[in-house]
Amino acid sequence: MAASVAAAVGGLRRAIRRSPSWLGPSRRPFSSEPPPTQATAVRDAFLSFFRDRHGHRLVPSASVRPRGDPSLLFVNAGMNQFKPIFLGTVDPRSEMAGFRRVANSQKCVRAGGRHSDLEDVGRDLSHHTFFEMLGNWAFGGEYFKVEACSMAWELLTQVYGIPEDRLWVSYFGGDPKAGLDPDLESRDIWLSLGVPASHVLSFGPQENFWEMGDTGPCGPCTEIHYDLAGGVGDPQLVELWNLVFMQYNREADGSLQPLPQRHVDTGMGLERLVAVLQGRRSTYDTDLFSPLLNAIHQGCGAPPYLGRIGSADEDRTDMAYRIVADHIRTLSICIADGVSTGMSGAPLVLRRILRRAVRFSTEVLRAPPGFLGSLVPVVVESLGDAYPELQKNSAQIANLVSEDEAAFLASLQRGRRIIDRTLKRLGPSDVFPAEVAWSLSMSGDLGLPLDLVELMLEEKGVQLDSAGLARLAQEEAQHRAQQAEAVEEQGLRLDIHALGELQRQEFGPCEAQVLQLYTEDGRAVASVGEGQRCGLLLDRTNFYAEQGGQASDRGYLVRLEQQDVLFPVARAQVCGGFILHEAVAPVCLKVGDQVQMHVDKAWRLGCMEKHTATHLLNWALRQSLGPGTEQRGSHLSPERLRFDVATQAPLTPEQLQAVESAVQEAVRQDEAVYTEEVALAHTAHVPGLRCLDEVYPDPVRVVSVGVPVARALDPASQAALQTSVELCCGTHLLRTGAVGDLVIIGEHLLAKGTTRLLAITGEQAQQAREVGQSLAQEVEAATERLSRGSRDVVEARRLSKDMGRLTDAVDTAVMPHWQRRELQAALKVLQRRANTAVRKLEMRQAAQKTQELLQRHSEGPLIVDTVSTESLSVLVKVVRQLCEQVPSTSVLLLSPQPLGHVLCACQVTQSPTPAFTAEAWALAVCSHMGGKAWGSRVVAQGTGSTTDLEAALSTARAYALNQL
């Protein structure tokens, strides 16, 4: 009997550890409970329960776009917005500082980063990239385990009516390695609430000890699980609600210290709760998703959704339904909160989500173009009442989704044709050529990312040549490194004679003929072979070549007679007056071949944004620093821009802020950007016209902001003194408003008299401002906390550590540099004040402990005792003060710490011939406790671990007496 019970419990533990996907058939109800409750009513019932019955304050959901937290791509848990409370950095004057018990429904996205469910979505019946987290919190010990468990049990069993026999709970079973005891308090609470002992299971730290990160608040958690089987056969447990009891702080050295204030943090996924209450085995069978699934069925004509998974879903139709339904919810929520698709960070993850949805909707469900955008109103209808920002931005969301869908469809269809045609040429056992996959991935926004190529091949049962792919990646890395090292000689260098004027087009494709091919060492060849890096000279091109500080275009070319092979073009440069394209040839390419050139539009637009911003920055510097300010050089790419300016001294924070403000004003004005080619002689005597010490062509191109070129070049006009007018061959936006914003994120002295500025624009700039604002608020909160003083050494030391953490964050954050300089200066002062406060409190505490020890010990050669203190620093001060007051005495003190740790400090009498050294004494005692010691002949300290302090004290006395 005992063996069978043990086996059953072991099986349950494994079931909980797996957090199993809800297995089909998905549409079979698992109870005969009352009619399903709508998701809206479930959400409302949760919030009303905590507000009306238990006095919680309801707070709105934070945006899924983290405000000022660069550690997150998306808000992925309900506790994210309350991190300042958990970390103890909340401004005492802020509204949040007054939070005691709160509840909400938080929008969460888990895609990309450490916690990502993206690749699992669609494969099972429960994973989502967007979900709603219902949560309640108690801060500063407002309530703790008894109340949290009782409220959760009351809500689930009395309000939602879930049968008690369907619920199981788990609690923290302890961690001997960390010195943590089992959380028997939680166990006993559940038993007192009527949970059968057979339904209460214990687990280790992996399952039931929650941590915010590598450092910070943490603690045991207890989880409530629901049995899908309902007593029929073996239990099938899924986690329903997690209750975290934050009572420790994980220090940088890995140790755990008790928090001065304990907190409760709970989270329950709305989707899973609704599935339980509606008697469904899948979250996709609830009314949160059924309207979307019906809309997908009606919009693309695919077979109806049946909830199949794995081999049962042979054509992947149901998988595609789930992916499209989940992803359009995520896209709608993110865009409503200000996250759009892009090239890096969260925008890049959102781009992957959109592309995954497009691929499955078109390839599997055979959806028509524009289908995804048509689903946005269904999402708004479902979630708009809970999150009004969806209703406010519904049209914008639909437009952005439709635009991105159309752009990716072209790339997807092209990539699919290339993959299919390549597969037709392969034998049954052949691997997919690395060169073809590489060419697709290296074609920028016009191609397909490698992970998508690999997934498409995996779905067809074809293996990619991973060894060849690794070789190409290594070659590309080496090539980039060589380019980075070269200053004067970058890429291919040629001496080419006149071939006629090259023509340049805009974004559309351009047909051209290969006039000449070159190897990497510059030799002219008639053809290049498979996998070879080469240079191409064409009779015409639509690629912008790197010049004027602007990075070149990138994209790809195809041969007109073989459009299923992409030749990625990584770079274009001017050589001897002609444009040379650097490419990798996946197959043979010959002189005379007819090709079609495709520019990566997203890359070009990024360069246009940065180039117009560079002109605005140049103008703003002259406005702020004076008309004599000279540009010394610049370089820009879609990621950021670099600008070198002649200065007599480093720019002050006030000057940097003034420059940014001038650019922001020009952006807000949304002025037109005019360009025109004029005779070079007409530009010679224009007041304020900016040009570098270069040789310009004739005619020359003039770029003017807000003023038509003809008026700007009028010698009688002062327009060029009041706006940006420059000679420039680069690509530009049509209006300044498209820049969005500009933030100078870095500044350093490049050479005497020359300062280099680094800047970002658009969405990146907006995020940098949010990070800066968030850090400024943290510094302001730290200032207020410091001004209020610390109650004890522990609080003072924590505040000092917070200053150091804030300083590191400010030093490394991507934020406005003027703000960084201001915060660095403020933090330097605050750190000094915090350290002084720590020293004063430690000295005061040490003096008090010293007097207590002197009262217990009469004069003698030894004082060996224990002292209650929180730090080694205070312990050392107590030892020092004792020896100062009783010079003829040697002192060794031990201080017990949480989890069995012990601190040790000692000092011996200073005599010409001491009987023993402090270092040896400390080593003897700490070795007895399994620890270590360090120090000098007179003073030493150490650490160890023991539960028998008397034995350690006896060792200390015996060692000293033997030596004496």
Side-chain angles (χ1 to χ4, degrees), residues 18-19 31 71 94 119 166 174 187-188 201 230 237 239 315 377 385 387 407 471 498 515-516 586 682 704 740 873 947:
R18 286 195 300 269
S19 295
S31 72
S71 67
S94 67
E119 299 305 324
R166 300 289 288 269
R187 180 201 65 181
D188 294 341
L201 304 176
L237 304 181
E239 179 190 335
D315 57 1
D385 288 340
Y387 308 111
R471 173 181 53 80
L515 299 181
Q516 188 62 66
H682 291 170
S704 175
S873 175
T947 56

Side-chain angles (χ1 to χ4, degrees), residues 494 514-519 522-528 534-537 580 589-593:
L494 299 175
V514 180
L515 299 181
Q516 188 62 66
L517 293 165
Y518 297 88
T519 61
R523 291 183 297 107
V525 292
S527 64
V528 291
C534 62
L536 296 88
L537 189 65
L580 190 73
L589 184 68
K590 301 187 299 294
V591 170
D593 282 347

Side-chain angles (χ1 to χ4, degrees), residues 498-509:
L499 291 171
E501 184 176 349
L502 301 180
Q503 299 177 15
R504 184 176 291 133
Q505 300 179 10
E506 292 303 324
F507 287 118

Side-chain angles (χ1 to χ4, degrees), residues 765-778:
Q766 186 178 350
Q767 291 177 355
R769 290 198 188 281
E770 289 172 0
V771 169
Q773 185 61 32
S774 177
L775 288 171
Q777 290 171 355
E778 286 196 56

Side-chain angles (χ1 to χ4, degrees), residues 156 178 232 243 261 270 425 490 515 566-567 665:
L156 293 178
V232 180
L243 285 63
Q261 291 188 319
L270 174 67
R425 299 197 300 267
Q490 293 191 357
L515 299 181
L566 303 187
F567 294 75
E665 181 57 31

